[in-house]
């Protein structure tokens, strides 16, 4: 909440000892740099309530220690990357209120700890939805572009 503007720089990936990255409630634009995957010690990644666009980089799956991933309230598009299935320590996954589309990868059912909280509400995700997700997790979807 510092009114930060501009893009997240690619050199963010050089901060290899970073444990928490909290850039919430700013006016950050552009894409999440793929170099974010270099932050293998990261436990919390909070980029919500910005104006981020583009796809969630597949390198997010390299964040093996990640426990919380919150990307909600942005303008992220494209599909949820299947590499998200590599996040074995994840306990919270918030992707709601974006422009994500396509199918939710079935691998999402194998993500993280058994009591993981997942919220993908208010996107453009198409059915069928993985059986492990509750109606509350899926919430409302704009399916008008679904096949």
């Amino acid at each position: 909440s510092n009114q930060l503007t501009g893009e997240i720089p690619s050199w963010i990936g050089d901060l290899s000892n970073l444990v928490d990255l909290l850039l919430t409630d700013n006016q950050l634009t552009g894409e999440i740099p793929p170099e974010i995957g270099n932050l293998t010690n990261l436990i919390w990644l909070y980029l919500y309530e910005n104006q981020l666009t583009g796809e969630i980089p597949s390198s997010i799956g390299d964040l093996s220690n990640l426990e919380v991933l919150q990307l909600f309230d942005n303008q992220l598009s494209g599909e949820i990357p299947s590499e998200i299935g590599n996040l074995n320590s994840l306990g919270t996954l918030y992707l709601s209120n974006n422009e994500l589309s396509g199918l939710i990868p079935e691998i999402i059912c194998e993500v993280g700890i058994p009591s993981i909280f997942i919220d993908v509400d208010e996107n453009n995700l198409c059915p069928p939805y993985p059986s492990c997700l509750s109606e509350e997790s899926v919430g409302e979807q704009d399916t008008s572009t679904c096949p």
Side-chain angles (χ1 to χ4, degrees), residues 40-71:
T40 55
N41 291 311
L42 212 56
I43 294 175
W44 289 357
L45 178 56
Y46 289 22
L47 300 177
Y48 63 87
E49 293 178 351
N50 279 290
Q51 297 157 19
L52 298 171
T53 57
E55 297 186 1
I56 299 170
S58 60
S59 63
I60 213 109
D62 296 334
L63 304 176
S64 57
N65 293 307
L66 201 63
E67 294 177 7
V68 180
L69 177 58
Q70 296 196 0
L71 304 176

Side-chain angles (χ1 to χ4, degrees), residues 26 41 54 76 121:
N26 286 291
N41 291 311
L76 297 171
D121 187 30

Side-chain angles (χ1 to χ4, degrees), residues 21-36:
L21 180 58
L22 306 138
L23 296 173
T24 63
D25 192 23
N26 286 291
Q27 290 93 43
L28 297 173
T29 57
E31 298 185 2
I32 300 170
E35 292 83 1
I36 206 117

Side-chain angles (χ1 to χ4, degrees), residues 53-129:
T53 57
E55 297 186 1
I56 299 170
S58 60
S59 63
I60 213 109
D62 296 334
L63 304 176
S64 57
N65 293 307
L66 201 63
E67 294 177 7
V68 180
L69 177 58
Q70 296 196 0
L71 304 176
F72 65 91
D73 288 343
N74 279 290
Q75 297 155 19
L76 297 171
S77 59
E79 297 186 0
I80 298 171
S82 60
E83 289 83 359
I84 216 153
N86 299 338
L87 304 177
N88 296 324
S89 300
L90 204 62
T92 303
L93 175 63
Y94 260 113
L95 302 176
S96 60
N97 198 23
N98 278 291
E99 298 169 13
L100 299 170
S101 59
L103 296 173
I104 301 172
E106 198 66 40
I107 193 90
I108 208 164
C109 294
E110 299 172 29
V111 169
I113 61 174
S115 60
I116 186 172
F117 179 80
I118 298 174
D119 185 351
V120 296
D121 187 30
E122 296 184 39
N123 279 288
N124 305 319
L125 297 165
C126 298
Y129 304 115

